[in-house]
């Protein structure tokens, strides 16, 4: 792309705009980097509880075998049977979702 500004011929290269997928990947990488830096012990404890829960339910054949721990079924079952029956401060409850997202 060439322009004339104040009687000067300026040549500029126009780069194609980034694709939406590229922007999403960059944002995810940045978020993951920030998330890893901010993981504290309470998030780690909650993550371990989820892993233990899913492992137990798979051994009882309540959840199907899978290489993934966070599936729609496992998260739904955890929240409906464990989280729904917990009694704790609301601020503590807010740590469950980020602990899942972080890991």
């Amino acid at each position: 792309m060439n322009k004339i500004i104040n009687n000067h011929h300026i040549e500029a290269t126009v780069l194609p705009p980034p694709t939406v997928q590229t922007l999403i990947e960059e944002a995810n990488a940045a978020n993951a980097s920030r998330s890893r830096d901010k993981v504290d012990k309470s998030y780690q404890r909650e993550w371990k509880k989820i892993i233990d829960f899913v492992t137990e339910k798979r051994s009882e054949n309540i959840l199907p075998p899978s290489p993934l721990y966070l599936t729609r079924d496992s998260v739904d079952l955890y929240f409906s049977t464990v989280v729904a029956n917990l009694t704790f401060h609301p601020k503590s409850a807010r740590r469950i979702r980020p602990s899942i997202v972080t890991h």
Side-chain angles (χ1 to χ4, degrees):
M1 177 170 140
N2 296 324
K3 285 186 171 185
I4 298 177
I5 300 174
N6 295 334
N7 294 326
H8 295 293
H9 182 76
I10 297 177
E11 185 175 326
T13 303
V14 176
L15 299 175
T19 64
V20 171
Q21 184 62 36
T22 302
L23 293 173
I24 290 170
E25 289 169 2
E26 289 171 357
N28 285 341
N31 288 339
S33 175
R34 280 193 300 275
S35 294
R36 280 191 298 274
D37 296 340
K38 295 181 179 181
V39 175
D40 65 17
K41 298 260 189 240
S42 62
Y43 288 93
Q44 293 170 346
R45 276 191 306 273
E46 192 60 42
W47 177 246
K48 183 171 179 354
K49 287 179 191 177
I50 295 166
I51 297 301
D52 291 346
F53 173 83
V54 171
T55 301
E56 178 184 334
K57 297 306 173 189
R58 286 181 178 160
S59 70
E60 296 170 356
N61 292 322
I62 294 172
L63 288 172
S66 172
L68 304 174
Y69 282 93
L70 296 180
T71 64
R72 177 81 268 159
D73 289 339
S74 64
V75 171
D76 285 349
L77 186 63
Y78 184 75
F79 273 80
S80 64
T81 60
V82 176
V83 177
N85 296 315
L86 293 175
T87 55
F88 45 75
H89 193 276
K91 287 185 180 179
S92 298
R94 288 190 197 112
R95 291 190 175 271
I96 296 172
R97 183 194 164 276
S99 70
I100 293 172
V101 173
T102 301
H103 289 80

